[in-house]
Amino acid sequence: MQEQVGALLTAILERNELRADDLISVWFTATPDLHSDFPAAAARALGITDVPLICAQELDITGAMERVVRVLAHVETDLSRAGIAHVYLGAAGALRKDIAQ
């Protein structure tokens, strides 16, 4: 989990030209089949240590994609809403083809 969530966070920051100092808070959700670690532990391993982080579990819906971690980051930026790069890695790109980059 740490490697994949770390890659996701890194991609979010890089594609939006953000630094850890731009983060206000971050919510992580994980599907019920992921229970080996807290997704937020990956953020801490990247050095994001002074930002509030919270983890929650996704609803257990029949037929939902498994092994998915979602990130909702509250950031301070001058980017417009249209300028934000929404990052979906791997198979998760199929979840939101309309905004996946």
Side-chain angles (χ1 to χ4, degrees), residues 4-9 11-12 15 65 87-94 100-101:
Q4 295 299 315
V5 175
L8 178 58
L9 287 171
I12 290 168
R15 293 184 194 180
M65 185 179 287
V87 178
Y88 291 79
L89 299 181
Q101 298 176 4

Side-chain angles (χ1 to χ4, degrees), residues 13-46:
L13 293 173
E14 288 177 355
R15 293 184 194 180
N16 290 287
E17 298 180 4
L18 297 169
R19 302 178 333 250
D21 286 346
D22 298 322
L23 296 172
I24 297 168
S25 62
V26 183
W27 283 75
F28 297 90
T29 63
T31 51
D33 56 312
L34 296 175
H35 45 77
S36 62
D37 200 0
F38 294 101
R44 299 291 185 223
L46 289 175

Side-chain angles (χ1 to χ4, degrees), residues 39-58:
R44 299 291 185 223
L46 289 175
I48 301 171
T49 58
D50 61 347
V51 176
L53 307 174
I54 191 165
C55 297
Q57 186 174 337
E58 288 282 333

Side-chain angles (χ1 to χ4, degrees), residues 74-91:
H74 303 97
V75 301
E76 190 167 338
T77 181
D78 291 329
L79 292 172
S80 67
R81 184 181 309 167
I84 297 291
H86 299 279
V87 178
Y88 291 79
L89 299 181

Side-chain angles (χ1 to χ4, degrees), residues 31-33 59-68 70 94-95:
T31 51
D33 56 312
L59 296 173
D60 191 7
I61 304 297
T62 302
M65 185 179 287
E66 296 181 340
R67 302 181 58 80
V68 175
R70 291 177 173 87
L95 294 172

